[in-house]
Amino acid sequence: MKVSFTLNGDPITADVEPRTSLADLVRGEHRCTSVHLGCEHGVCGACTVLIDGKIARSCITLAVSLDGAMVTTLEGLADDALMARLREAFRTHHGLQCGYCTPGMLITAHDLIRRKGALAEAELRQGLAGNICRCTGYAGIVAAVAAAMDEHETTKSAASIAAE
Amino acid sequence: MKPMPFDYARAKDVPDALAALADADAGARVMAGGQSLVPMLNLRLATFPRVVDISKIAELRERSESADAVTLGACVTHGEIEDGEAPEPAAGLMRHVAAGIAYRAVRNRGTIGGSASLADASADWVTTLLALGARFIGRGPDGEREIAAPDMFLGPYFTAMTDQELLVRIVVPKTSRDATWGYYKVTRRSGEYGLSIGAVILDPAREHASVVLGAASRTPLACTAAAAALRGAPRWTEALETALRTAIAEDLARAERPFEPHEAIMVETTILRAAAQALGVS
Amino acid sequence: MAAPSAPPALAAIEAPRPGCIGDRVLRNEDARFLAGHGEYLADLDIPGTREIAFLRSPVAHARIRSIDMPPGAEGRVFLLKDLGDIHPVRAVLTTPGFRGSDYPALAADTVRFVGEPIAICLGATRAAAEDLAQEIVVDFDELPPVVEIEQALDPASPSLHGWPDNICFVSTPGGGEVDAAAKAAAVTVTREFRMARQCVVSLEGRGVLAYWDRRLQELVVYSSTQQPHVIRTVLAKLIGVPEHQLRVVAPDVGGGFGVKNNLQQEEVAIAALARRLKFPIRWVEDRREHLIASPQAREHRVRLTAHADARGKILGLEAEAVVNAGAYSIWPWSAAMEANMVAGILTGPYAIDAYKGRGVTVVSNKAPLGPYRGVGRPSACFTLERLVDEIAAKVGREPHELRIDNMVRPEQMPYRTVTGKLFDSGDYAESVRQVAAMIDVPAVRARQARQNGTGPRRIGLGFASYTEQTAHGTDEWIARGLTEVFGYETATVRFTPDGKLIIEAAIQNHGQGLETTLAQVAAQELGVDPADVVVRHGDTAVSPYGMGTFASRSMVMAGGAVGRASRQLGEKVKRIAAHLLQVKPADVTLANNCAVAGARSVPLKSVTDAAFLHPENLPAGEDPCLDETTTFQPLSGTGAFAYATHAVVVEVDTGTGLVEILDYAVAHDCGTMVNPMIVEGQVQGGVAQGIGNALLEESPYDSGGQPLASTFADYLVPGAPEVPTVRIAHLETPSPFTAYGIKGMGEGGAIAAPAAILNAVNDALRPLGVELNETPITPKRILTALHDARTERAR
Ligand SMILES: Cc1cc2nc3c(=O)[nH]c(=O)nc-3n(C[C@H](O)[C@H](O)[C@H](O)COP(=O)(O)OP(=O)(O)OC[C@H]3O[C@@H](n4cnc5c(N)ncnc54)[C@H](O)[C@@H]3O)c2cc1C
Ligand code: FES
Ligand code: FES
């Protein structure tokens, strides 16, 4: 069955079985292997991507249901300023060990910051609750996201002051 | 962990979807957000020859508001309710509940209609919509019918709707402006289904109180004795708490099976805390 | 006794230099993971690869009567008989009394646990392979299953392996006069403890991809494994391909924690089949397979008795540990590893002279048991540390003070324990004092006095101390009776002609930061920038032979090997540099990518240029090239002992049975730290897993032997809201037995958390007459205990 959508800015058309998940499609033919599979039933968050700008689980989204959609994986955020900030913060705060949860964690954190701005630690942790990391115990991740969030808020307010 | 093969069709409107469901032998199943259906397919716990995608049907994405009710299309997502992109009938309860379902990535696709149709006994909307006295509008080969909340949820994964029917919208009566609510969900891991859910709505202006216990039994339990004890109660007192405990015991005795001691403690806590929250004590 | 490593001696570091041992160097490996460019097994893109689904047993115990193949199965479905002449895995201990059993790569006659592989099914996609697997019909003659420990101990239960009963091994460690201790004791406390069976849950499952390389005439096996070299050795034996024609590669590995530290049946079956096929085949373990069919962990029942004097000084211990090891012995550890370890280390960090232990390993129709972070230690620590708290309650003392009194003292080091371990160095009591100060015991006690009893939420404080044996040397593995002795590690350190450094190590890095810390060790010796050092590992074709990453060994062992090789290589660099600078080699030091002698210096690049491309510039008699391979063994055959004390404050909600962690502090000592940032990450990550062990994780089976947790909806692992950020204090007592004084520490965080948390919960609930000695401590268990205690009081 044919489906066409935009993947990381490029229009693609794929011919897939209806049972193919979005994760399997983008990982396979399109080599977006930042999308990891940790459970394939929606719990772990390793497969998190953006669909039309909103985070979603690519393991429980059928590829054929995405005709006309805009799909973004971590590969598509290589030049995004907030994502660059997050990557830097993850490195500085030792927010990753084996790296398997990392792409999903980054995309979730990116969404959280854009949607919520400043958050207290407890809320930030709630916001990351849908992404399992088995290695780090989350401390480095939470510190990294908090740091990127702070910086993002600072630049945002600097930008709005400049605009006035 | 991959599904069995199936056909896929995207329904453009409700008649299109109903046509797909009409042929019982075809074994078609509708998919809204897919957030429960696809995991089941992946695990091969369920197989259907045909999946009919209703998530893009404009009618099912509509939401509207009248003087006394809010109407939500079946395919309004948890995320949209969380974000206030749908009118709020109950002083913020719906937004609060939506924000506590699963995780944002699931909420962005999962729908209120999917949740109600699946009727998982632990699902948040099942408990909440019963507490709010919602009405479910199904449409099938014979047209539309309305199902009141108490008649909707018949058992775990079992509703009053037939396989040929589509849940098209949910009508949620508005509470009065100064109504208060409490919602207490016990989970071992945040974002997961509740082990026990207490939903309490107090609407003194209408002399109405409703108390529902979710997740702890095969279907949510309307705790009418607890509701009676709470009706008109102005504030949380020790006497009220004592009365409530007695009432809760009475309600629990009506459950379809006796609660084990540890369950009884947990569900009592859940209801008491939801009630206290509704009365401004947290 | 094996010869200890010869000089050069690598002394502990006095003052850390930037980029070297002791510095918080950011990780080299991060960039690729942060870009999403990690390459895990499922990401490998080898043309023509077909995907595998295993047909696995749906029943716990049965004889296979027949297997009915669907049409089209020819060339796509493979049974044991189709894999050629291969040997079953037979993981045994050399210790007399150990009962061995065969574990075939695919079950042919009998299945012994749900999830045991029966057939390999191939498809263009995994989905197609699963379709095929679903069509195969197996006719099972079901046998009664043996499920729980009590059944396995019952001589009347059916025997799984044709032994007289289901007891695989009994060890009886100990020494000293326990009877005398019992007589002398003022108090004797006995309890039974249970730690539930767990799944390991690396976020990436296991996986194998294999093919025959026609050009090199070798079988290539990619595996998500922690130990490629030893897997090659054992695979070669089992499937009959000589080692020089077998290459095992571990690509990026998404977490291991022990579950990838075994020979896997799937590895054997896939390697054997790939040898006979003309195309690559790959299996990627999915979550359900991981939760039911991967090696599982724990499931211990320990009865422990302590005899103590009136002040709580422990005079003697008696223990019986029974471990349900599941259906088979897995290689190389054998089924008996857990019970033997629990029984062997039960005296903990304490100076206890009299101990009588018994470790019993039973087999059952559950998934085989394998190592998981901490192996037997979390259970040993949980058991002993819970009992210490009960002794403290009985003699009316603060639990942390009782610990201090019982611990091995610094002046007793090195200290030989009653079970023969040699504690190397450290001030154990100081870890208790420091963590008690961090958690502020008086403040917690005051808060308890204020809060407990006023509402449903009660505060509790818990401590737990342990020693963690790490970098086990030759003696330890021999004493354990392993058929292979993992006593050393190897590394090659080589410069390239342009002056950069490559380290080739036999360990496997899957989150531990070894691509950075090994570079730091080389930087220490060679003055290179660690960011410029490439560490290649996890591939039998790129490094000399070595053992792999497990048992908190890699930093000590591979670090030692890199240190020795670098030191030796540095001597040569200095000789060449001295020649170029016209000074004496002894006057040359290496720093900032240069060789320096007083005011004169030459870039390393010039040295490597001479060494590789201009032999005419070398001193007379100096061989060209710059590389060095050495091995490392610790000076003590039982390795180096890290230790720590954890302290935790919890709030127990007596209305819901939920436990919230309010504060968590750790004071630990892992000797010289190569990179404190990475050490803290390991502690934190270990504590998170320990929290799972204490509160959430359990793999229950029904009476028919069906595993009940097969998805993440039933098997709960902690998320960000469930794990607090741990406050960590470092003590740093170098080990006298290792290079630079480093001790391993990768498992420690996970060891003490279950004990500390259960102690805290019990501290909170003790006034209500509740005592809980079972993990995980679920709402159901807590509320049931509260109910029972209430009923008891009412009587
Ligand atoms: C990790 C995870 C955690 C979760 N945690 C929670 C939680 O805490 N609380 C909670 O309440 N839920 C939870 N859920 C479930 C989630 O809320 C789902 O979104 C919801 O249950 C189903 O909605 P859906 O739109 O995705 O339905 P689908 O998965 O598309 O469909 C579910 C079922 O309903 C049927 N159906 C759907 N729409 C209609 C319709 N309009 N008419 C008739 N039949 C229909 C389908 O045929 C199917 O049988 C969780 C899910 C996941 C993956
Ligand atoms: S793989 Fe999609 S949520 Fe785990
Ligand atoms: S870094 Fe390994 S799972 Fe998060």
Side-chain angles (χ1 to χ4, degrees):
Chain A
M1 175 163 201
K2 284 228 164 58
V3 58
S4 302
F5 59 87
T6 311
L7 175 60
N8 295 328
D10 298 327
I12 63 160
T13 296
D15 194 359
V16 295
E17 286 187 278
R19 61 171 157 174
T20 309
S21 69
L22 173 61
D24 282 344
L25 172 60
V26 301
R27 284 179 45 79
E29 218 175 307
H30 301 282
R31 306 294 304 144
C32 292
T33 53
S34 74
V35 176
H36 295 156
L37 293 173
C39 71
E40 295 177 86
H41 48 266
V43 182
C44 79
C47 68
T48 307
V49 300
L50 294 170
I51 299 175
D52 295 327
K54 293 183 168 186
I55 56 169
R57 306 292 210 215
S58 60
C59 70
I60 51 171
T61 302
L62 299 180
V64 287
S65 71
L66 292 175
D67 216 35
M70 205 173 75
V71 175
T72 311
T73 67
L74 187 64
E75 284 86 351
L77 294 167
D79 301 325
D80 178 272
L82 174 56
M83 192 54 91
R85 188 168 281 159
L86 273 163
R87 283 196 301 264
E88 191 52 41
F90 267 61
R91 178 153 192 255
T92 312
H93 295 275
H94 193 25
L96 66 156
Q97 290 184 17
C98 79
Y100 203 75
C101 69
T102 309
M105 203 63 92
L106 286 169
I107 291 196
T108 301
H110 187 266
D111 171 70
L112 198 60
I113 295 176
R114 275 186 320 162
R115 241 173 353 102
K116 297 276 176 156
L119 282 181
E121 183 181 320
E123 297 165 295
L124 194 164
R125 285 177 177 275
Q126 281 301 332
L128 299 175
N131 291 70
I132 293 175
C133 174
R134 191 59 161 168
C135 298
T136 64
Y138 305 100
I141 295 170
V142 170
V145 178
M149 192 173 264
D150 280 352
E151 269 183 57
H152 185 70
E153 286 300 292
T154 317
T155 37
K156 247 181 28 194
S157 53
S160 64
I161 291 167
E164 272 170 25
Chain B
M1 197 187 284
K2 313 286 179 192
M4 304 251 285
F6 52 79
D7 288 339
Y8 170 89
R10 182 187 274 188
K12 60 180 193 312
D13 52 26
V14 173
D16 200 18
L18 289 177
L21 292 179
D23 177 7
D25 295 339
R29 187 68 164 228
V30 296
M31 178 178 82
Q35 301 299 285
S36 293
L37 187 69
V38 183
M40 290 191 290
L41 292 169
N42 282 358
L43 288 157
R44 299 197 177 205
L45 294 176
T47 54
F48 306 104
R50 194 174 174 80
V51 166
V52 179
D53 186 348
I54 57 169
S55 62
K56 297 284 158 42
I57 297 177
E59 182 189 339
L60 303 183
R61 309 259 313 123
E62 281 168 6
R63 48 217 95 164
S64 63
E65 189 172 5
S66 68
D68 54 4
V70 161
T71 301
L72 300 173
C75 287
V76 172
T77 66
H78 314 321
E80 287 162 342
I81 297 171
E82 173 188 16
D83 290 350
E85 288 172 19
E88 168 66 60
L93 172 62
M94 297 260 304
R95 280 186 78 168
H96 173 84
V97 169
I101 296 174
Y103 316 103
R104 180 69 184 186
V106 174
R107 298 198 289 273
N108 279 336
R109 300 188 74 74
T111 67
I112 187 168
S115 233
S117 305
L118 186 66
D120 186 313
S122 306
D124 290 87
W125 288 134
V126 171
T127 297
T128 308
L129 292 171
L130 184 59
L132 285 167
R135 302 187 298 276
F136 299 85
I137 315 298
R139 196 183 305 164
D142 306 327
E144 282 196 357
R145 65 176 175 134
E146 188 177 289
I147 304 164
D151 306 326
M152 177 72 174
F153 304 113
L154 303 178
Y157 309 107
F158 181 32
T159 68
M161 299 216 312
T162 69
D163 287 349
Q164 275 75 52
E165 267 178 317
L166 200 62
L167 174 63
V168 287
R169 58 188 186 277
I170 300 168
V171 181
V172 189
K174 284 182 174 174
T175 62
S176 35
R177 195 169 306 189
D178 52 359
T180 61
W181 50 265
Y183 193 78
Y184 199 85
K185 175 178 176 181
V186 180
T187 57
R188 294 177 62 198
R189 189 180 178 277
S190 58
E192 287 302 306
Y193 282 103
L195 296 174
S196 175
I197 300 175
V200 171
I201 297 157
L202 301 181
D203 198 342
R206 307 222 171 114
E207 289 178 25
H208 176 75
S210 84
V211 178
V212 175
L213 171 67
S217 46
R218 289 162 51 85
T219 50
L221 184 69
C223 299
T224 45
L230 279 167
R231 198 168 300 128
R235 79 191 91 80
W236 190 256
T237 61
E238 242 168 71
L240 175 62
E241 183 173 335
T242 311
L244 258 179
R245 282 181 197 274
T246 314
I248 292 168
E250 212 176 289
D251 287 322
L252 297 189
R254 280 189 288 103
E256 81 277 341
R257 64 168 177 93
F259 286 92
E260 307 227 355
H262 66 94
E263 295 172 308
I265 300 174
M266 185 184 287
V267 301
E268 186 193 67
T269 303
T270 324
I271 300 169
L272 286 176
R273 289 187 188 169
Q277 188 192 359
L279 286 170
V281 184
S282 62
Chain C
M1 180 172 184
S5 293
L10 303 170
I13 307 300
E14 299 288 321
R17 284 181 281 132
C20 299
I21 294 176
D23 192 14
R24 292 181 176 263
V25 176
L26 300 185
R27 299 200 323 166
N28 287 340
E29 50 267 69
D30 284 349
R32 74 173 181 280
F33 295 128
L34 288 165
H37 295 163
E39 193 168 60
Y40 304 90
L41 196 116
D43 304 336
L44 297 171
D45 189 20
I46 301 176
T49 300
R50 295 193 204 165
E51 305 292 337
I52 293 173
F54 279 96
L55 171 69
R56 293 179 182 276
S57 174
V59 295
H61 197 192
R63 257 185 291 280
I64 297 176
R65 272 206 210 97
S66 64
I67 301 180
D68 253 11
M69 293 295 176
E74 189 74 13
R76 291 182 63 206
V77 179
F78 302 88
L79 304 174
L80 183 64
K81 64 177 170 56
D82 304 316
L83 302 184
D85 191 14
I86 65 171
H87 301 287
V89 179
R90 198 171 173 85
V92 295
L93 295 184
T94 57
T95 324
F98 182 89
R99 286 174 176 161
S101 58
D102 285 346
Y103 188 2
L106 296 173
D109 311 316
T110 307
V111 289
R112 293 188 178 84
F113 68 95
V114 171
E116 184 168 357
I118 297 172
I120 293 180
C121 306
L122 298 183
T125 60
R126 169 67 179 246
E130 287 185 19
D131 295 345
L132 187 59
Q134 204 166 13
E135 286 176 48
I136 301 171
V137 180
V138 184
D139 184 9
F140 292 105
D141 178 11
E142 286 203 49
L143 302 168
V146 179
V147 184
E148 302 303 337
I149 283 180
E150 286 67 24
Q151 268 176 297
L153 284 170
D154 182 351
S157 293
S159 159
L160 257 69
H161 294 294
W163 309 333
D165 51 34
N166 287 309
I167 296 175
C168 171
F169 189 63
V170 178
S171 64
T172 51
E177 301 296 322
V178 176
D179 295 343
K183 271 212 200 81
V187 292
T188 288
V189 185
T190 300
R191 292 289 189 278
E192 180 175 297
F193 301 93
R194 282 180 191 257
M195 189 168 266
R197 182 170 269 257
Q198 280 184 259
C199 302
V200 177
V201 188
S202 47
L203 196 54
E204 179 211 29
R206 299 175 299 149
V208 180
L209 183 157
Y211 62 94
W212 180 258
D213 184 319
R214 280 190 293 183
R215 180 175 64 85
L216 296 173
Q217 287 293 296
E218 67 177 13
L219 181 65
V220 181
V221 179
Y222 283 88
S223 180
S224 188
T225 182
Q226 301 172 221
Q227 44 177 177
H229 293 267
V230 296
I231 292 300
R232 183 182 68 178
T233 299
V234 62
L235 267 185
K237 278 187 203 151
L238 292 174
I239 67 171
V241 173
E243 283 195 67
H244 70 294
Q245 286 186 300
L246 185 52
R247 177 183 176 195
V248 177
V249 191
D252 280 328
V253 169
F257 315 114
V259 77
K260 299 172 181 176
N261 181 19
N262 315 295
L263 175 71
Q264 306 165 20
Q265 301 315 107
E266 293 87 349
E267 274 169 340
V268 181
I270 292 167
L273 179 59
R275 187 183 52 172
R276 305 160 75 89
L277 297 177
K278 294 196 169 59
F279 47 84
I281 50 176
R282 163 169 46 201
W283 164 65
V284 176
E285 183 184 61
D286 69 26
R287 184 54 54 192
R288 180 160 51 188
E289 287 181 290
H290 183 89
L291 292 175
I292 68 176
S294 260
Q296 299 184 338
R298 324 286 192 228
E299 196 171 357
H300 300 181
R301 185 191 82 186
V302 187
R303 288 206 180 103
L304 184 63
T305 297
H307 307 290
D309 71 14
R311 295 272 300 151
K313 167 84 181 118
I314 301 171
L315 307 173
L317 280 182
E318 297 173 62
E320 185 199 57
V322 186
V323 173
N324 184 348
Y328 297 100
S329 249
I330 59 175
W331 189 91
W333 314 111
S334 91
M337 170 179 57
E338 295 264 322
N340 291 359
M341 189 189 287
V342 175
I345 61 165
L346 255 173
T347 52
Y350 305 116
I352 298 173
D353 303 328
Y355 171 58
K356 194 155 71 181
R358 207 173 118 82
V360 183
T361 301
V362 296
V363 294
S364 71
N365 294 111
K366 291 186 177 180
L369 223 58
Y372 170 39
R373 202 176 199 160
V375 191
R377 304 179 196 98
S379 162
C381 176
F382 165 58
T383 307
L384 176 63
E385 292 297 283
R386 271 294 303 121
L387 203 69
V388 166
D389 269 32
E390 293 308 316
I391 299 168
K394 198 143 187 182
V395 300
R397 297 190 61 196
E398 274 288 359
H400 68 285
E401 288 169 4
L402 201 77
R403 287 185 168 79
I404 290 174
D405 286 0
N406 276 293
M407 277 170 164
V408 175
R409 294 185 307 278
E411 64 274 16
Q412 293 174 291
M413 297 290 179
Y415 175 88
R416 179 77 63 186
T417 70
V418 67
T419 54
K421 317 277 183 199
L422 190 65
F423 289 170
D424 48 346
S425 67
D427 185 347
Y428 293 180
E430 183 58 20
S431 72
V432 184
R433 284 188 283 268
Q434 286 208 11
V435 86
M438 288 163 81
I439 209 86
D440 196 348
V441 176
V444 179
R445 294 291 180 225
R447 182 168 173 191
Q448 281 182 302
R450 273 198 314 276
Q451 177 175 333
N452 290 3
T454 61
R457 295 187 178 85
R458 302 180 64 92
I459 304 280
L461 168 63
F463 289 89
S465 304
Y466 66 89
T467 62
E468 177 189 4
Q469 185 176 13
T470 72
H472 314 59
T474 303
D475 297 355
E476 173 69 22
W477 298 117
I478 292 174
R480 288 201 199 171
L482 255 64
T483 49
E484 279 72 22
V485 176
F486 303 123
Y488 68 95
E489 199 48 78
T490 323
T492 296
V493 175
R494 66 170 90 245
F495 275 106
T496 51
D498 61 354
K500 299 287 196 246
L501 197 73
I502 298 177
I503 295 172
E504 294 159 1
I507 48 78
Q508 211 290 333
N509 177 35
H510 42 283
Q512 297 87 346
L514 290 156
E515 291 172 38
T516 308
T517 47
L518 292 182
Q520 287 179 255
V521 173
Q524 180 77 30
E525 297 296 335
L526 294 167
V528 294
D529 180 351
D532 265 359
V533 177
V534 168
V535 178
R536 303 175 76 195
H537 59 85
D539 184 343
T540 57
V542 307
S543 82
Y545 197 83
M547 301 305 180
T549 294
F550 52 89
S552 299
R553 68 190 301 278
S554 289
M555 196 63 250
V556 179
M557 297 294 222
V562 169
R564 289 186 80 212
S566 301
R567 175 76 55 98
Q568 280 170 32
L569 192 58
E571 296 307 319
K572 184 168 176 180
V573 170
K574 287 177 187 171
R575 288 197 300 274
I576 299 170
H579 183 67
L580 298 176
L581 292 166
Q582 291 300 301
V583 298
K584 288 206 282 294
D587 295 335
V588 178
T589 55
L590 305 177
N592 301 326
N593 293 312
C594 290
V596 187
R600 309 171 65 185
S601 79
V602 58
L604 283 179
K605 213 162 135 62
S606 307
V607 176
T608 55
D609 186 66
F612 288 100
L613 304 173
H614 290 284
E616 73 277 17
N617 291 344
L618 293 174
E622 192 72 72
D623 286 333
C625 293
L626 273 172
D627 54 44
E628 192 65 54
T629 298
T630 62
T631 57
F632 175 83
Q633 306 183 57
L635 286 165
S636 162
T638 54
F641 284 77
Y643 61 93
T645 302
H646 291 204
V648 57
V649 181
V650 301
E651 189 173 72
V652 184
D653 187 334
T654 57
T656 59
L658 294 177
V659 175
E660 190 187 348
I661 298 173
L662 302 181
D663 192 10
Y664 203 117
V666 172
H668 82 116
D669 188 344
C670 62
T672 301
M673 287 189 288
V674 177
N675 185 328
M677 174 189 85
I678 285 174
V679 166
E680 287 159 12
Q682 291 293 310
V683 172
Q684 175 76 37
V687 168
Q689 290 181 339
I691 290 171
N693 187 340
L695 300 176
L696 298 172
E697 298 181 35
E698 179 171 16
S699 172
Y701 282 68
D702 72 10
S703 59
Q706 287 292 333
L708 299 176
S710 62
T711 71
F712 275 156
D714 333 295
Y715 193 87
L716 305 180
V717 300
E722 286 81 40
V723 183
T725 295
V726 175
R727 297 186 291 132
I728 301 168
H730 303 295
L731 288 71
E732 244 185 302
T733 320
S735 171
F737 299 144
T738 65
Y740 311 108
I742 303 168
K743 300 177 179 182
M745 54 78 54
E747 298 166 89
I751 296 173
I757 292 168
L758 271 277
N759 275 342
V761 170
N762 279 291
D763 183 52
L765 300 182
R766 185 173 289 112
L768 303 181
V770 167
E771 186 179 322
L772 292 149
N773 292 320
E774 182 175 7
T775 71
I777 185 168
T778 57
K780 176 175 175 178
R781 291 192 175 119
I782 292 183
L783 295 178
T784 303
L786 282 165
H787 169 82
D788 293 348
R790 211 171 290 158
T791 321
E792 185 69 25
R793 275 200 312 270
R795 264 205 250 126

